[in-house]
């Protein structure tokens, strides 16, 4: 496999690009920063969408769709928001061959246009909370791009909600943070994340509070996997999102926004991949079991089809490969590259002994199993390997998390992963200094690991790292 992929230890960025190319996940589009997500990569994203969407709906939000083009004046109504996004905006000035009366911005995010319609739809406290989500593509004119991680155009979900009180908005932003995002990342992506509060410097433009989930990649760099924001009343005042309260008085609503994107595909690649390619968590995998005919004849294809049907009936997402005109080795390598959790290999020799060979991608083991016991063995292995992948990622993170007592120590240790430093020993000045050396404060947590209400709380711990 070393001839197929650059080893991680030799050149991690090149390994990442090799995996994306060889596993046929994505490639660069014709416009700088755009990406074409190929069927293998899109299938992984579809599974992410399904799992996250289920959790969003369980949290009470409903899906809707809002315009791709936003009047430029909308963004200018919330000053901090437009200032934060100004360098990344793509502006349309001509439509139908004519100059537009007002330029339109291709959405970098949709707070402004959704805020406009929230103001129309909300009249009284009985209309609250209003819980909306949309699955969409957005455009941010990034200067330095990388497939999945930082493309100019990317796919995501963006949730936008309005509430009667600040406490209700905060509780909902945190519900999304934990019950939707953290649960998905831990239990489906098998990625342990540090959940904390962004510093003032790092928070979302226009937000009053930003909460984040930070994963550690296998090169020791952090990746922001998702964020949830309290927007206070900033957007409500800019767009006049008001309601008549039960007290008979007019009030401004309190709003939130939150999102995860195709960046999670990149995170999955870098958190779990090895020198043989992807290792896709079984609960996420579009193909959980890959039944492959090694060589046809003597009833092999018929038995393979039967195994396929049995696995499907057992609830396994399964794919059958009977392409014996393609060398078995090439097909096995492709399956390794794409990270299929289980391969069920069947040839005349196996069948003569009444067995099939189960190859597990996560631990690399190969086991001869009775044909009659394949379905049971596969379902058990999938659950075992899901936990094994999470445990391995957690062990890696713990081994690459250090404690520091000074900023200088933290900056040095950040070359190898997360560093914990008392926030009181860092502060805003220390954060600025760390940034000049390529290190950022990824988030703040309490000593017990919980999410603080303010960065001014006593005893907070800062997590520092180099990051994507």
């Amino acid at each position: 496999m070393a001839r197929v992929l650059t080893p991680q230890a030799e050149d991690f960025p090149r390994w990442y690009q090799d995996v994306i190319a060889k596993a046929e996940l994505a490639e660069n589009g014709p416009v700088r920063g755009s990406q074409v997500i190929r069927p293998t990569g899109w299938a992984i994203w579809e599974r992410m969408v399904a799992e996250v969407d289920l959790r969003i709906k369980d949290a009470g939000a409903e899906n809707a769709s809002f315009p791709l083009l936003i009047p430029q004046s909308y963004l200018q109504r919330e000053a901090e928001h437009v200032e934060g996004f100004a360098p990344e905006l793509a502006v349309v000035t001509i439509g139908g061959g004519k100059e537009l009366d007002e330029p339109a911005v291709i959405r970098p995010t949709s707070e402004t246009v959704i805020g406009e319609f929230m103001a129309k739809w909300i009249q009284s406290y009985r209309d609250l909370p209003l819980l909306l989500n949309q699955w969409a593509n957005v455009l941010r004119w990034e200067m330095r791009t990388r497939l999945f991680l930082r493309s100019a155009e990317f796919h995501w979900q963006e949730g936008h909600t309005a509430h009667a009180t600040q406490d209700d908005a905060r509780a909902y932003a945190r519900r999304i943070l934990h019950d939707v995002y953290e649960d998905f990342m831990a239990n489906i992506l098998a990625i342990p994340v540090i959940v904390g509060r962004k510093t003032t410097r790092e928070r979302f433009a226009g937000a009053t509070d930003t909460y984040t989930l930070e994963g550690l990649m296998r090169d020791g760099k952090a990746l922001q996997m998702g964020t949830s924001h309290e927007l206070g009343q900033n957007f409500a005042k800019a767009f006049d999102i008001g309601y008549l309260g039960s007290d008979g008085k007019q009030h401004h609503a309190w709003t939130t926004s939150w999102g995860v994107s195709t960046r999670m595909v990149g995170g999955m690649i870098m958190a779990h991949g090895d020198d043989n390619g992807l290792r896709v968590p079984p609960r996420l995998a579009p193909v959980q079991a890959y039944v492959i005919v090694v060589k046809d004849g003597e009833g092999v294809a018929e038995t393979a089809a039967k195994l396929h049907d049995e696995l499907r009936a057992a609830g396994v997402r399964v794919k059958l490969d009977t392409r014996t005109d393609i060398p078995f080795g090439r097909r096995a390598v492709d399956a390794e590259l794409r990270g299929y959790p289980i391969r069920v290999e069947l040839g005349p020799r196996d069948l003569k002994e009444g067995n099939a060979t189960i190859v597990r991608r996560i631990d690399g083991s190969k086991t001869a199993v009775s044909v009659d016991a394949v379905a049971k063995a596969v379902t058990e292995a999938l659950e075992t390997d899901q936990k094994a992948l999470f445990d391995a990622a957690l062990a890696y993170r713990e081994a690459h998390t250090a404690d520091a007592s000074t900023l200088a120590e933290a900056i040095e240790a950040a070359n190898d992963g997360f560093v914990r430093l008392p926030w009181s020993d860092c502060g805003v000045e220390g954060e600025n200094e760390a940034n000049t050396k390529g290190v950022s404060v990824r988030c703040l947590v309490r000593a017990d690991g919980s999410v603080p209400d303010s960065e001014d709380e006593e005893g907070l711990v800062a997590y520092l790292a180099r990051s994507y």
Side-chain angles (χ1 to χ4, degrees), residues 43-63:
I44 292 171
W45 173 239
E46 282 183 320
R47 287 284 308 138
M48 291 182 177
V49 169
E51 292 285 351
V52 173
D53 192 61
L54 179 66
R55 288 163 173 77
I56 287 173
K57 288 172 179 170
D58 283 346
E62 296 180 294
N63 286 339

Side-chain angles (χ1 to χ4, degrees), residues 103-177:
V105 172
I106 298 175
R107 61 185 171 209
T109 179
S110 299
E111 278 78 6
T112 57
V113 68
I114 293 178
E116 177 76 7
F117 284 88
M118 281 182 165
K120 293 181 180 180
W121 298 342
I122 297 170
Q123 301 300 320
S124 83
Y125 69 94
R126 295 183 181 88
D127 300 320
L128 297 172
L130 179 59
L131 311 176
L132 302 173
N133 177 65
Q134 79 165 339
W135 292 93
N137 58 338
V138 295
L139 183 67
R140 300 178 184 179
W141 209 259
E142 299 280 1
M143 297 307 295
R144 286 178 289 182
T145 62
R146 186 175 299 182
L147 290 170
F148 291 118
L149 297 178
R150 194 174 290 278
S151 56
E153 180 187 7
F154 57 90
H155 295 267
W156 74 345
Q157 59 74 211
E158 48 177 317
H160 301 270
T161 69
H163 304 261
T165 67
Q166 182 179 22
D167 286 346
D168 191 43
R170 172 167 295 175
Y172 196 79
R174 293 199 179 198
R175 181 179 181 181
I176 294 295
L177 182 75

Side-chain angles (χ1 to χ4, degrees), residues 211-445:
Y211 307 111
T212 183
L213 305 102
E214 302 284 330
L216 189 64
M217 306 298 101
R218 291 175 66 86
D219 61 349
K221 289 185 179 179
L223 181 70
Q224 179 179 289
M225 300 285 291
T227 49
S228 182
H229 315 285
E230 290 181 52
L231 304 178
Q233 293 180 312
N234 293 347
F235 287 88
K237 290 177 179 178
F239 290 87
D240 197 23
I241 306 172
Y243 68 95
L244 184 67
S246 58
D247 59 2
K249 297 179 181 179
Q250 198 69 22
H251 303 271
H252 281 110
W254 299 80
T255 64
T256 78
S257 68
W258 27 275
V260 291
S261 74
T262 38
R263 167 176 280 212
M264 292 193 298
V265 179
M268 184 272 296
I269 296 169
M270 294 193 298
H272 297 314
D274 62 18
D275 286 348
N276 290 340
L278 298 179
R279 292 195 301 171
V280 182
R283 290 180 190 165
L284 176 72
V287 176
Q288 295 174 308
Y290 188 61
V291 179
I292 182 169
V293 173
V294 178
K295 184 180 178 181
D296 203 358
E298 302 179 32
V300 172
E302 292 79 5
T303 303
K306 180 182 176 183
L307 288 176
H308 169 275
D309 293 345
E310 288 177 356
L311 287 165
R312 187 173 182 180
V316 177
R317 294 185 291 275
V318 59
K319 182 175 182 177
L320 176 62
D321 185 349
T322 60
R323 302 171 300 160
T324 53
D325 56 327
I326 298 174
F328 168 73
R330 176 180 167 183
R331 290 181 287 150
V333 166
D334 285 345
E336 289 270 303
L337 283 166
R338 295 182 179 190
Y340 298 151
I342 302 287
R343 289 203 312 274
V344 180
E345 300 177 351
L346 191 67
R349 186 181 303 171
D350 300 298
L351 193 56
K352 186 176 182 180
E353 298 174 359
N355 294 330
T357 300
I358 291 182
V359 183
R360 293 164 64 173
R361 180 67 179 87
I362 308 303
D363 67 8
S365 65
K366 294 185 178 183
T367 308
V369 175
S370 167
V371 168
D372 295 335
V374 165
K376 183 174 185 293
V378 167
T379 54
E380 290 177 353
L382 289 172
E383 277 306 300
T384 299
D385 290 351
Q386 176 77 26
K387 183 178 186 301
L389 205 56
F390 178 87
D391 290 346
L394 180 60
Y396 179 88
R397 189 187 76 184
E398 294 304 301
H400 291 80
T401 300
D403 290 292
S405 56
T406 68
L407 180 65
E409 287 180 9
I411 292 172
E412 178 66 26
N415 289 319
D416 194 40
F418 283 129
V419 186
R420 289 183 291 248
L421 177 71
W423 178 230
S424 58
D425 293 333
C426 179
V428 175
E429 290 185 5
E431 183 180 16
N432 293 339
E433 181 181 342
N435 287 168
T436 65
K437 298 179 180 178
V439 175
S440 59
V441 177
R442 303 312 305 159
C443 64
L444 305 176
V445 302

Side-chain angles (χ1 to χ4, degrees), residues 27-79:
E27 55 189 78
N28 292 313
V31 175
R32 188 190 65 80
S34 66
Q35 60 183 356
V36 175
I37 303 178
R38 301 184 66 175
T40 300
W42 191 255
I44 292 171
W45 173 239
E46 282 183 320
R47 287 284 308 138
M48 291 182 177
V49 169
E51 292 285 351
V52 173
D53 192 61
L54 179 66
R55 288 163 173 77
I56 287 173
K57 288 172 179 170
D58 283 346
E62 296 180 294
N63 286 339
S65 179
F66 291 86
L68 174 70
L69 296 178
I70 301 173
Q72 192 173 48
S73 60
Y74 282 22
L75 273 79
Q76 293 168 344
R77 286 161 67 179
E78 213 293 318

